[in-house]
Amino acid sequence: MVRPFAVFQFLIEDHRRRIMDDESNSDAELRNIASQVIHVCQKAHVPHHLGIFYKNNPLEYSFSLILFETILVILLSRIVRFLLKPLKQPRIVSDIIGGIIIGPSVLGRNKSFTENVYPEQAQYMVANIGVLAFMFFVFLSGVKMDLGLISKTGKKHLYVALVGVFCPLITTAVLGFVLRPMLDKELAKLSGIGAMSSSLALTSFPVIYLILKELNLLSSEIGRMSLTTTMVSDALGIIAIIVFEALKQGEEGHGDSALWYVVSTFVIGAFFVVPIRRILCWIVQRTPKGKPVDQNYVIMILLGVLVMGFFTDMFGLAIANGSLWLGLVIPDGPPLGATIVERIETIVMEILMPFGFALVGLYTNVFVMAEYGWDKLAPVLIIFLVGYASKIVSVFVASLYFGIPIKDSLTLSLIMNLRGQLELVIFIHWMDKRIIGIQVFTMLVLLTIVTTSICAPLISVLYNPTKPYMVNKRRTIQHNPKGKELRIVVCIHEKENVVGLINLLEVSYPSSETPVSIYALRLIELVGRATPLLIDHDQNEGPSKDADHETIHNALKSYQEARKDSVQLHFCTAFTVKRTMYQDICKLALLNKASLIILPFEQGQLKILAGTEIVRSGTKSSISSNVIAHAPCSVGIFIDKGNENDTVRLQPFRREYKFVMLFLGGPDAREALIYADKMVINPDVSLTVVRFLSDNNEGDDVLEKKIDDGVVTWFWMKNESNERVVYREVVVKNGDETLSAIQSFNSIDNDLWIVGRKQGINPTILKGLTHWSENIELGVIGDYVSSFDFGSRASLLVVHQQIMRVQNIE
């Protein structure tokens, strides 16, 4: 079906006014206008087609076309991301490049591609979905931000942020007025210069957060400082946007236009802060503790994003303002903020945002930029380059002034220069306001790519978040001085971990002669907020938003009170993303000079079911691997196979517990033996130590063997008269004989297996087994003992002794 439609182009805007004022000349005017009308005939897309077997081209039908465009946009961004990953480029760079590829700069140069894949009607659809994507992206960013942290910002962060904003703002504003005669008419206006200066001076929190998350820097010292500094910058950015819009309204109309704009802005802002905020807090109060928010509330809030976008656009505000402000007034974290983020983040980031980048790509045209001329582009380029440089220098100097090391200061200055989604939204808004055209827009998009693609890899090179954990001092159980308290960091993922961990601490037998300091760290995934938090409950007694906080804290407190003469408890909570949890764990161990970190291997307690076994649990295993690789002390991975109905034991065990320690040699085995020696002091614990030796000493490391002999001899001489200690030696030729020997010690009476992880084990003892292991955190023997095939109901403790200055897991 073909339909004609007209595209009217008026050469002089006041034609319409004259027609209305002078009816006698209306016929002549209409004939004059009609002569300027361009008639275009295009084929309208029918929603669905009958199929290719009816010789229908699916790209000629609207539904099939939008599906193909969606697939193409997502696929291209994924391919570019894969190609750029070895270059340590953040995702935002590959997403923008993927959008540019489908635009007139690359594939769009082909007329056939444009006509079939991105005709004008399709571009309209992509553009609207793209704007919708940016609206929801900004909304999610607002949900994750906690402006309340600004009031808690230290003076150092506050002053660095202010210097990093006002220095480039003043520098670029002055340069803009100097180059004003060379700028385009719109950019030369006060609002244009102000827009450029403010965009260069400010750093957007959502962009910094996403890139730091990719670089694993969220929980690092420099990451926390960057997020706090950027929070201050964003607060100033909201004010700058209001000032810019008011100036633009005043230039386009009269003075009262700017006044009404400011009034409407404050009215809408008050509407968000007072009634909307109260309604949202009411929703939080109605939600049962530990439960997600009702689905109906979530739907209404998401509908509110669209409603607020409509109203802010109707009042002449930037369309993203409504969604941002709505996100900011939503209480961050669980239950409301977390539920919203969990429900829609994947859809927004993986499905909708590619359309946003496609919109940017369709607007980007390097060929038009080349035709535009260097003389017109040069002033804008100079202003932006000077703005980037002044921001780097100002943040760097301010950081040095406050005593931040040179490398960290440079890293912080580079982070403050990262650009991304929010800058693209601003550039699109400038085009809507006709401040810039396609040519300048294209140059700014390319500048965004270049700036971020240079800064991100440099940040990775300059700053290593694990460097502080590389200590030169031995912090192990073996090297802990006699009579000195043993400091242990105990990590808790779920409340089900508490019973087993307390029982493990109890059999470690703390006493007044051998006291234990426990630093319990509750690990909570950062959902619904963007800023990582590490709360020390010794200093902050405020209520936690985590539903299980009280249960866990009370159980640990009860244990500490029962052992008050020998146990000191310190309780902390870390809200962070899972991929950087190891940084909080290592930091806590480093600051408190811990000798051991105990990690539960998996969520809850292991249920022994037929046909099941412990398999890699993704995130939890990854946390263990990273902790082992970077910990400033020894690490114990605990697998609790105890009865899930057990209650916390606050008194010494009333029956004899049987432990088996498998000594395969090496530093890990020696550390495990020292820990087992502490346990056997408990009169209710019996211990069997099984030492494995290779036949004819094949494969032995002479030095390691001598050290092993010394530790084993010391242990046996100390416990020779102890009837609860049994020592055995087993000679094996290969891994099969090792497993058979271990199986012979498997008894239904066993309560705990203790084994060294992997360091220093004679390869002959494990010959033929290395391919069998699936969980590198546990080592070959630990993985076997924990498996269903082994058939043991006893718990397992895998010990890894601290390695000096190691970066990668063995």
Side-chain angles (χ1 to χ4, degrees), residues 273-294:
V273 173
V274 181
I276 297 295
R277 175 73 178 184
R278 289 183 178 180
I279 292 173
L280 295 171
C281 291
W282 175 79
I283 293 174
V284 172
Q285 292 172 0
R286 282 182 57 87
T287 303
K289 191 174 182 179
K291 301 293 183 180
V293 175
D294 186 85

Side-chain angles (χ1 to χ4, degrees), residues 78-251:
R78 292 279 181 170
I79 292 173
V80 176
R81 197 182 313 168
F82 174 77
L83 295 176
L84 294 182
K85 189 175 181 179
L87 301 178
K88 297 184 178 181
Q89 292 299 321
R91 174 177 176 175
I92 180 64
V93 173
S94 57
D95 285 341
I96 298 175
I97 293 176
I100 292 175
I101 290 175
I102 65 169
S105 298
V106 187
L107 295 179
R109 292 290 291 174
N110 186 296
K111 186 176 180 181
S112 176
F113 175 85
T114 302
E115 291 177 350
N116 288 283
V117 181
Y118 284 100
E120 291 185 5
Q121 302 98 317
Q123 291 184 22
Y124 169 80
M125 179 66 70
V126 170
N128 281 278
I129 298 177
V131 172
L132 196 67
F134 281 121
M135 283 178 56
F136 275 100
F137 172 80
V138 172
F139 166 72
L140 279 177
S141 302
V143 172
K144 294 178 182 179
M145 292 173 64
D146 183 8
L147 293 181
L149 293 176
I150 297 177
S151 61
K152 304 175 184 178
T153 303
K155 290 184 178 180
K156 177 172 64 176
H157 297 165
L158 179 61
Y159 291 148
V160 170
L162 293 177
V163 171
V165 168
F166 285 106
C167 282
L169 179 68
I170 296 171
T171 302
T172 51
V174 171
L175 182 60
F177 280 105
V178 172
L179 299 177
R180 197 172 188 179
M182 303 172 61
L183 295 172
D184 283 343
K185 180 180 178 181
E186 291 297 325
L187 281 175
K189 293 181 179 179
L190 182 61
S191 61
I193 295 175
M196 289 190 294
S197 301
S198 59
S199 70
L200 288 166
L202 304 176
T203 304
S204 59
F205 181 92
V207 174
I208 300 299
Y209 167 74
L210 290 175
I211 297 179
L212 289 181
K213 185 178 180 181
E214 288 186 63
L215 298 177
N216 287 337
L217 295 180
L218 279 182
S219 297
S220 65
E221 191 67 28
I222 200 71
R224 294 177 188 273
M225 181 181 295
S226 301
L227 291 177
T228 305
T229 304
T230 308
M231 193 81 72
V232 177
S233 176
D234 264 12
L236 296 173
I238 294 174
I239 299 174
I241 290 173
I242 295 174
V243 173
F244 159 70
E245 292 290 346
L247 288 174
K248 190 63 181 173
Q249 293 280 350
E251 291 173 351

Side-chain angles (χ1 to χ4, degrees), residues 96-97 99-109 356-369 424 427-428 431 437-447 449:
I96 298 175
I97 293 176
I100 292 175
I101 290 175
I102 65 169
S105 298
V106 187
L107 295 179
R109 292 290 291 174
F357 296 113
L359 169 62
V360 173
L362 291 174
Y363 280 167
T364 305
N365 191 337
V366 295
F367 298 97
V368 173
M369 184 181 71
L424 297 178
F427 299 155
I428 292 172
M431 288 188 64
I438 294 291
Q439 305 86 350
V440 176
F441 175 84
T442 300
M443 185 183 70
L444 296 182
V445 170
L446 296 179
L447 273 175
I449 296 174

Side-chain angles (χ1 to χ4, degrees), residues 574-589:
F575 294 88
T576 185
V577 294
K578 289 184 177 180
R579 64 191 300 177
T580 60
M581 278 183 179
Y582 75 95
Q583 295 180 12
D584 292 281
I585 297 170
C586 294
K587 181 179 180 180
L588 187 64

Side-chain angles (χ1 to χ4, degrees), residues 437-483:
I438 294 291
Q439 305 86 350
V440 176
F441 175 84
T442 300
M443 185 183 70
L444 296 182
V445 170
L446 296 179
L447 273 175
T448 299
I449 296 174
V450 172
T451 304
T452 304
S453 63
I454 292 175
C455 289
L458 287 177
I459 293 168
S460 299
V461 172
L462 286 171
Y463 188 78
N464 181 3
T466 66
K467 185 177 180 180
Y469 318 135
M470 297 188 295
V471 296
N472 291 316
K473 186 176 181 179
R474 285 287 184 185
R475 292 181 180 172
T476 68
I477 304 174
Q478 182 179 354
H479 296 89
N480 193 60
K482 185 177 181 180

